[in-house]
Amino acid sequence: MILDLDIGNALSKWRLKDPINNEVRSRGSVWTSEKWRPGRDFPDLNTIEAVRISSVAEAALFKDFLDILRCEVDNIHIARSTRVALGVTNGYEDPRQLRVDRWLGSLAGYQLAGGCCVVDCGSALTIDFVLPGGRHLGGYVLPGIRLMKEILQLGTRNVAIELDSEAEALLAPGRRTIEAVNHGIYIAAISAIDRLYLEVCARENKALPLLLTGGDAKVIAGGVHAPHAIWPDMVYGGLEACFPLTAAERAGQMSGAPNVPELINLEAMKASILLNK
């Protein structure tokens, strides 16, 4: 079996993939700060042939976990942000400063669509752009909707903030404080995505497919205006593209890859920007 790991600052996700038929057998998650126990928090390591890792965890914490893996598994692949990979040129002055999950998402999006805007809707809301031809422009990092909720709770002590409503309801003016906070957070997130997507595409004179991933992608997608697709396994797709271990992966197949979304009309996009200025 292949163990794929997406280790975040707060939550870490794993999946177990059959190398013969290329099917995902199981999935799970664990808090990154906890001590992980094989066989309980993730699969027994004696069943694992190879491990692929994307990690943004603190170095000391990651080293402790890596030591556990190396006791049982020899074939371990750790993704790093590099200057060039899979036809994409990193837009950062120091490529190592680009978080590896953003890099893997950009690589996966480029393999799928040949140019894209990738939005990761996690604890941070990150937006990256890759042009056709593989030039990564860089991107934007904003607080995600959960992080904005936590920040606002510092100033709204007795307001329990929830974001489980339908997107249509979240766009309406709130008639209670809890609603006003929820809806304001939601609109701040989708407005940032819409505006930055339009601005960058217009500046580059190129409409790009918009791809969403991350734990809050589904709720955010309900309010985003540009045509888009949700790809929950986008970081895993980047791991597959960088370290293909199955026949299907070597043939270019990435798990859960969606159809490429249609492109917004560029002239209509520019007109929309002029109306909003």
Side-chain angles (χ1 to χ4, degrees):
M1 290 290 180
I2 301 168
L3 177 64
D4 289 324
L5 293 162
D6 179 6
I7 304 175
N9 288 321
L11 188 68
S12 297
K13 296 175 288 184
W14 60 265
R15 71 174 190 182
L16 201 60
K17 191 174 187 185
D18 190 323
I20 303 301
N21 58 26
N22 205 51
E23 292 182 357
V24 175
R25 294 299 188 184
S26 58
R27 298 174 182 269
S29 61
V30 63
W31 295 112
T32 300
S33 60
E34 294 181 357
K35 186 174 179 62
W36 296 9
R37 291 156 292 185
R40 180 170 176 175
D41 298 315
F42 61 97
D44 283 319
L45 294 178
N46 57 15
T47 68
I48 306 302
E49 302 170 18
V51 181
R52 298 181 289 205
I53 305 172
S54 165
S55 176
V56 297
E58 293 181 3
L61 190 151
F62 180 57
K63 180 182 180 302
D64 290 343
F65 177 61
L66 200 56
D67 289 341
I68 295 174
L69 289 177
R70 285 173 171 158
C71 288
E72 298 286 344
V73 185
D74 294 325
N75 193 9
I76 299 176
H77 304 275
I78 304 171
R80 313 280 189 196
S81 294
T82 57
R83 173 61 64 191
V84 179
L86 302 176
V88 179
T89 301
N90 197 315
Y92 267 37
E93 293 179 3
D94 180 354
R96 296 169 297 179
Q97 295 300 311
L98 178 65
R99 279 177 43 135
V100 70
D101 53 352
R102 289 174 58 195
W103 180 235
L104 289 171
S106 297
L107 294 176
Y110 183 72
Q111 305 314 301
L112 177 71
C116 55
C117 172
V118 173
V119 180
D120 192 329
C121 310
S123 55
L125 181 67
T126 66
I127 308 171
D128 282 273
F129 294 87
V130 183
L131 295 180
R135 182 163 65 95
H136 173 247
L137 298 178
Y140 304 87
V141 180
L142 302 87
I145 57 177
R146 306 288 166 171
L147 182 55
M148 282 193 275
K149 177 190 75 172
E150 292 173 8
I151 293 169
L152 274 174
Q153 280 180 328
L154 297 176
T156 53
R157 294 180 182 178
N158 298 317
V159 178
I161 303 169
E162 299 296 337
L163 285 166
D164 296 326
S165 304
E166 293 296 324
E168 183 176 349
L170 289 168
L171 292 170
R175 300 180 65 184
R176 296 178 296 140
T177 301
I178 182 174
E179 290 180 351
V181 172
N182 280 343
H183 300 189
I185 288 171
Y186 183 68
I187 290 173
I190 63 171
S191 297
I193 294 169
D194 281 336
R195 185 57 183 254
L196 293 171
Y197 174 77
L198 292 176
E199 290 281 357
V200 173
C201 288
R203 186 179 68 237
E204 298 295 331
N205 200 37
K206 185 66 180 179
L208 297 170
L210 178 59
L211 303 170
L212 307 180
T213 192
D216 290 319
K218 186 175 180 180
V219 66
I220 285 179
V224 172
H225 289 95
H228 57 270
I230 300 175
W231 188 0
D233 279 0
M234 190 183 297
V235 172
Y236 291 143
L239 285 173
E240 292 172 334
C242 289
F243 310 111
L245 299 177
T246 72
E249 291 169 358
R250 287 189 287 271
Q253 297 180 26
M254 294 176 289
S255 295
N259 293 326
V260 177
E262 62 181 280
L263 298 180
I264 191 170
N265 180 277
L266 196 60
E267 295 307 313
M269 180 192 305
K270 293 177 181 178
S272 175
I273 292 174
L274 289 174
L275 286 173
N276 289 317
K277 286 187 174 179

